[in-house]
Amino acid sequence: MKLNINYQEKFQERHIAPNQGDTEKMLKTIGVNSLDELIDQTVPAQIRLKNPLNLPAAKSEFDYLNTLKQTASKNKVFKSYIGQGYYDVIVPGVIQRNILENPGWYTQYTPYQAEIAQGRLQALLNFQTMVIDLTGMEIANASLLDEGTAAAEAMFMQYTLRKNTKANVFFVSEELFPQTIDILKTRSEPYGIKLQVGDHRSVELNDDMFGAIVQYPAGDGEVYNYKEFATALHEKNIKLTVVADLMSLVLLTPPGEWGADIVVGTSQRFGVPMGFGGPHAAFFATKEEYKRSIPGRIIGVTIDSAGDYALRMALQTREQHIRRDKATSNICTAQALLAIMAGMYAVYHGPQGLKLIAERIHGLSVLLANSLNELGYEQLNKAYFDTLKFDLGELAGPVHSEALNNEVNLHYNGSVVTISLDETTSVKDIETIVRFFAKVKGKTLHDANFDAHTQNVEGVIPSELQRTSEYLTHALFNTHHSEHEMLRYIKSLEAKDLSLCHSMIALGSCTMKLNATTEMVPVTWAEFSKMHPFAPTDQVGGYMQVFDELNKWLSEITGFASMSLQPNAGAPGEYAGLMVIRAYHMDRGEGHRNVALIPASAHGTNPASAAMAGMKIVVVKCDDNGNIDVADLKAKAEQHTNDLSCLMVTYPSTHGVFEESIIEICDVIHQHGGQVYMDGANMNAQVGLTSPGMIGADVCHLNLHKTFCIPHGGGGPGMGPICVAASSGASS
């Protein structure tokens, strides 16, 4: 008997559902003899790849995990006190095992069919209720993509609600996190919104302002009393957005009680790992009167046909399909899976548990401040929750070196150092920090009077800023605090849902696959999950390798020059791609090019994204089969030849057809000075057969939850990286 000692189990044999017999039956049913014959009849010959993709040989799942573990080991997991919107967390095991790692939760599609989604609709309603209670607002959505996006959505919502239609100035506190300010700069420019970045304590309000945004607590940790500022804004009909730390609101007066019109932020601190920056579920809360302008989706309570309690999407962003270029947002999804985790974190801990966690974080911050004060370091924040601020002068360098020696990351801005604590911080951790700060001054822990301070910790939040109102009063948040109660609750909701554990979900390309368990396992490895996005570059070698490999492989697959992995969903990917095209024209001195040709059959996010990028939408006709009317395209391109910016096209089309005229279509756009943006929603039909670069596109986004392995999770997380041709990418 001859033995095959080189056998390795192939991934596709376990994870591509049809076996050879199934495939032959399907081919016979549609009247072709082979898959190659089917492809020849389906994909136009002129766009077929001539050579196989230049990609590394496939690995077995066992080898893949071993190789990735070696890559992950290149990340150095230091203790992070960087803060800036990202904090280490303790993920309750019952939530990690039974939601994050459970295909009964991470494989669902967006809950457009409420009758098969009652479990996760309830979980999202829990999230909304948590946000409403903690922020003190009247209504909240079922999550957004990230904190910066939520802030930008709030800015634009204020812009559309302004009473003075000529007002175009948006005040931005200089103490917002820098990444949020950057996103506001990008999103404001196409609309002609002028940002005025400054100090909320000294800004002169005027009639040109329609809105303002502040951070609570502020970026460096100070907790301001914004009540007078809010009153002054409202006297001039200026609306106020507050970017709030959800954990701090357990102890701080909620923004809804002192005048906020909109409250946004991230729920990351509620049991969702940092993961080098995301994904994380943002929240968006506002007043009932603004519910028709709120971005995202809202889960509402109703009754079913039998008169029983039921849930549905009471308000959802399908408005871009109706209003098209008049839509106020292009967001068509959420971070459902992560919002569910955050909501369950609140269910598991309840109001008392959350208070104990928040008090511990604040108490340890006070302990650290008092101890360092004994050593002669001046803590600069008058009131704070979890973040201390020091101007170390010449000692900043030595402190930095000692921190690294102790595998600790602080946040540095010149000589100013901030230290942000979180729920994973212990008294032992505080002792470590105090020791190396003492060493820099030639002192010891004894000089810090550490033991005495440990025995006597008093909060420093002023009485007027302390929360007195109740929160999470619903029985749901006061019941499931033991693991077996929580487990049963999670499973009871899971049983109400249809997921890929049960059957195929025939609603779209993102539903037609089950994420391989092997692909999901590394998500919870500490080397990936516990990395802060602002960790020093020399500590994130594993992530850099993953990004470099993904860049090369996705560029090869798409036929493009390079990738940006930044966009975290398809809609932001569309927007980012269009902004690259916009920048490309401006770089060439043709910033006047602002016309986007969009087929009538396009997904509703296309015109919404184009409008957000400051473009004028011109609709191209489609024939009875949904294909682009080439004659109408040529006429429209000719008509707008001087101002043509781009064509937005989905390929294969929304109807699943490889239009044979696609190369001609791209050529027409290029002849008139435009660029071709390809919506990558159907990229899974192209891989290995053709590519956007082969077809003639210039920019494309990829929905990695459709084409590759990111879980859909009932509406997110997603990832929407963009890829660009060399000419389009030159200016980006």
Side-chain angles (χ1 to χ4, degrees):
M1 179 174 61
K2 189 173 183 180
L3 303 178
N4 182 0
I5 61 173
N6 294 313
Y7 168 75
Q8 278 194 326
E9 192 173 72
K10 294 182 179 179
F11 179 86
Q12 61 267 33
E13 292 174 353
R14 293 288 190 188
H15 296 283
I16 298 179
N19 57 36
Q20 185 173 349
D22 295 331
T23 301
E24 290 173 355
K25 288 179 183 177
M26 288 188 285
L27 291 172
K28 184 177 181 180
T29 300
I30 61 176
V32 294
N33 295 316
S34 66
L35 284 174
D36 287 339
E37 183 181 340
L38 175 62
I39 292 169
D40 288 340
Q41 292 182 12
T42 305
V43 185
Q46 64 268 33
I47 63 168
R48 289 287 301 277
L49 295 176
K50 303 298 186 292
N51 299 306
L53 294 173
N54 182 21
L55 297 172
K59 295 180 182 293
S60 70
E61 294 181 69
F62 177 77
D63 285 345
Y64 155 78
L65 283 178
N66 285 335
T67 301
L68 191 60
K69 195 67 177 178
Q70 293 173 4
T71 301
S73 68
K74 297 178 182 178
N75 290 330
K76 302 174 185 176
V77 187
F78 282 18
K79 186 71 178 174
S80 175
Y81 302 100
I82 297 172
Q84 299 293 297
Y86 305 94
Y87 308 88
D88 200 2
V89 296
I90 299 171
V91 185
V94 66
I95 294 176
Q96 176 170 316
R97 175 66 60 88
N98 295 290
I99 294 180
L100 178 60
E101 298 175 343
N102 180 1
W105 283 96
Y106 68 66
T107 65
Q108 288 96 332
Y109 190 54
T110 303
Y112 298 136
Q113 290 181 278
E115 66 274 17
I116 60 170
Q118 288 297 293
R120 71 201 122 114
L121 287 173
Q122 180 65 60
L124 291 171
L125 181 66
N126 296 349
F127 174 84
Q128 290 176 186
T129 304
M130 172 191 77
V131 170
I132 290 169
D133 282 8
L134 290 175
T135 61
M137 301 304 288
E138 297 170 349
I139 192 170
N141 70 11
S143 82
L144 285 177
L145 300 174
D146 56 66
E147 182 171 283
T149 297
E153 293 287 336
M155 174 183 69
F156 190 68
M157 186 174 121
Q158 288 174 296
Y159 184 66
T160 60
L161 291 171
R162 68 198 193 282
K163 298 287 176 61
N164 176 3
T165 56
K166 292 184 179 180
N168 69 338
V169 176
F170 187 63
F171 172 77
V172 179
S173 168
E174 61 192 7
E175 297 189 69
L176 256 64
F177 292 137
Q179 65 269 23
T180 302
I181 295 177
D182 283 346
I183 293 172
L184 291 172
K185 287 178 179 178
T186 299
R187 289 284 293 270
S188 62
E189 203 270 338
Y191 277 104
I193 295 173
K194 297 179 180 179
L195 298 189
Q196 182 176 331
V197 181
D199 189 334
H200 77 275
R201 294 165 294 184
S202 59
V203 62
E204 292 186 14
L205 306 180
N206 58 66
D207 293 337
D208 291 332
M209 293 180 178
F210 65 86
I213 187 168
V214 296
Q215 188 113 24
Y216 183 66
D220 284 348
E222 184 75 44
V223 179
Y224 293 107
N225 188 338
Y226 291 113
K227 187 172 183 179
E228 290 185 5
F229 181 60
T231 300
L233 290 171
H234 292 148
E235 287 175 352
K236 290 187 172 292
N237 290 318
I238 302 171
K239 291 181 173 57
L240 174 63
T241 292
V242 177
V243 186
D245 181 317
L246 209 56
M247 184 63 77
S248 76
L249 298 185
V250 173
L251 301 184
L252 299 178
T253 305
E257 294 180 14
W258 47 254
D261 296 289
I262 304 170
V263 185
V264 301
T266 176
S267 61
Q268 184 263 317
R269 296 191 85 155
F270 279 43
V272 181
M274 289 186 287
F276 202 47
H280 306 129
F283 62 86
F284 191 111
T286 187
K287 297 178 179 179
E288 181 80 21
E289 62 186 288
Y290 304 140
K291 66 184 177 184
R292 289 292 170 185
S293 300
I294 192 170
R297 54 176 66 117
I298 297 175
I299 310 306
V301 178
T302 184
I303 56 174
D304 63 16
S305 57
D308 295 326
Y309 172 93
L311 299 162
R312 65 186 177 91
M313 279 206 225
L315 197 68
Q316 54 183 300
T317 49
R318 309 315 292 165
E319 63 136 358
Q320 63 257 40
H321 290 281
I322 302 168
R323 301 187 68 204
R324 311 290 282 182
D325 58 307
K326 301 297 190 298
T328 56
S329 170
N330 74 337
I331 300 298
C332 66
T333 185
Q335 293 288 14
L337 181 66
L338 307 173
I340 288 168
M341 286 181 65
M344 289 298 186
Y345 181 92
V347 171
Y348 190 48
H349 288 295
Q352 292 305 313
L354 289 180
K355 188 174 183 180
L356 289 171
I357 293 170
E359 286 180 344
R360 184 166 174 272
I361 293 170
H362 181 56
L364 289 173
S365 302
V366 174
L367 170 61
L368 179 58
N370 292 342
S371 300
L372 295 183
N373 183 62
E374 289 279 359
L375 294 172
Y377 294 97
E378 182 185 1
Q379 202 286 122
L380 300 178
N381 287 332
K382 296 177 182 178
Y384 56 86
F385 167 61
D386 66 355
T387 298
L388 310 179
K389 179 180 178 181
F390 302 89
D391 189 339
L392 300 182
E394 294 179 353
L395 295 181
V399 166
H400 189 181
S401 297
E402 284 301 322
L404 293 178
N405 289 341
N406 286 271
E407 297 191 346
V408 164
N409 287 328
L410 309 178
H411 182 256
Y412 306 92
N413 184 8
S415 63
V416 175
V417 176
T418 57
I419 308 172
S420 297
L421 308 189
D422 56 54
E423 70 167 320
T424 71
T425 308
S426 67
V427 174
K428 190 72 174 176
D429 294 325
I430 300 300
E431 182 178 323
T432 297
I433 298 173
V434 174
R435 281 186 186 279
F436 69 72
F437 266 82
K439 182 179 179 182
V440 168
K441 286 200 169 187
K443 298 182 179 181
T444 67
L445 196 65
H446 177 74
D447 296 313
N449 203 15
F450 185 75
D451 290 338
H453 287 304
T454 303
Q455 301 303 316
N456 184 25
V457 181
E458 293 285 341
V460 298
I461 299 172
S463 58
E464 66 271 17
L465 291 174
Q466 292 180 23
R467 180 168 198 139
T468 58
S469 55
E470 293 185 321
Y471 53 93
L472 304 184
T473 57
H474 192 282
L476 172 74
F477 297 103
N478 294 276
T479 305
H480 309 292
H481 303 326
S482 70
E483 181 169 337
H484 78 267
E485 289 169 333
M486 190 66 186
L487 177 64
R488 289 170 182 170
Y489 179 63
I490 290 172
K491 289 298 180 181
S492 72
L493 296 188
E494 182 185 335
K496 296 178 180 179
D497 271 19
L498 182 73
S499 73
L500 289 182
C501 296
H502 306 97
S503 72
M504 180 60 69
I505 310 170
L507 276 176
S509 59
C510 13
T511 69
M512 293 182 170
K513 58 169 178 57
L514 177 71
N515 299 107
T517 303
T518 302
E519 294 168 335
M520 299 293 291
V521 165
V523 170
T524 54
W525 289 351
E527 297 93 332
F528 290 130
S529 67
K530 285 185 170 290
M531 296 302 297
H532 192 288
F534 301 154
T537 304
D538 62 0
Q539 294 177 21
V540 294
Y543 263 115
M544 293 301 103
Q545 180 176 331
V546 169
F547 295 162
D548 181 62
E549 291 172 347
L550 193 57
N551 187 343
K552 291 177 181 176
W553 298 340
L554 293 180
S555 295
E556 172 68 16
I557 287 167
T558 59
F560 281 126
S562 192
M563 305 286 306
S564 168
L565 301 173
Q566 190 70 20
N568 65 358
E574 282 182 9
Y575 176 74
L578 292 174
M579 290 296 285
V580 167
I581 290 175
R582 185 175 186 270
Y584 170 73
H585 289 309
M586 294 178 71
D587 188 59
R588 291 161 56 88
E590 297 185 326
H592 61 279
R593 290 189 172 272
N594 67 343
V595 171
L597 301 184
I598 301 179
S601 63
H603 191 281
T605 56
N606 285 184
S609 296
M612 287 169 56
M615 296 183 181
K616 176 184 176 183
I617 288 82
V618 174
V619 178
V620 177
K621 295 177 183 177
C622 292
D623 62 23
D624 293 340
N625 295 319
N627 299 318
I628 294 174
D629 184 327
V630 178
D632 188 57
L633 175 85
K634 290 180 177 178
K636 298 285 175 59
E638 178 66 37
Q639 178 184 352
H640 299 283
T641 186
N642 294 324
D643 299 315
L644 181 61
S645 174
C646 65
L647 165 73
M648 297 187 76
V649 61
T650 300
Y651 200 78
S653 71
T654 304
H655 300 273
V657 176
F658 287 88
E659 298 177 57
E660 297 209 21
S661 56
I662 188 64
I663 290 182
E664 180 185 5
I665 288 170
C666 293
D667 286 344
V668 168
I669 300 303
H670 292 147
Q671 288 165 12
H672 291 278
Q675 297 280 290
V676 176
Y677 171 86
M678 181 169 289
D679 186 316
N682 296 336
M683 185 66 198
N684 54 344
Q686 291 190 37
V687 177
L689 301 176
T690 184
S691 70
M694 177 77 179
I695 292 165
D698 301 288
V699 180
C700 178
H701 89 265
L702 302 177
N703 295 91
L704 296 193
H705 65 281
K706 296 184 179 185
T707 309
F708 296 97
C709 69
I710 290 177
H712 199 282
M719 187 176 174
I722 59 169
C723 39
V724 295
S727 57
S728 296
S731 64
S732 62

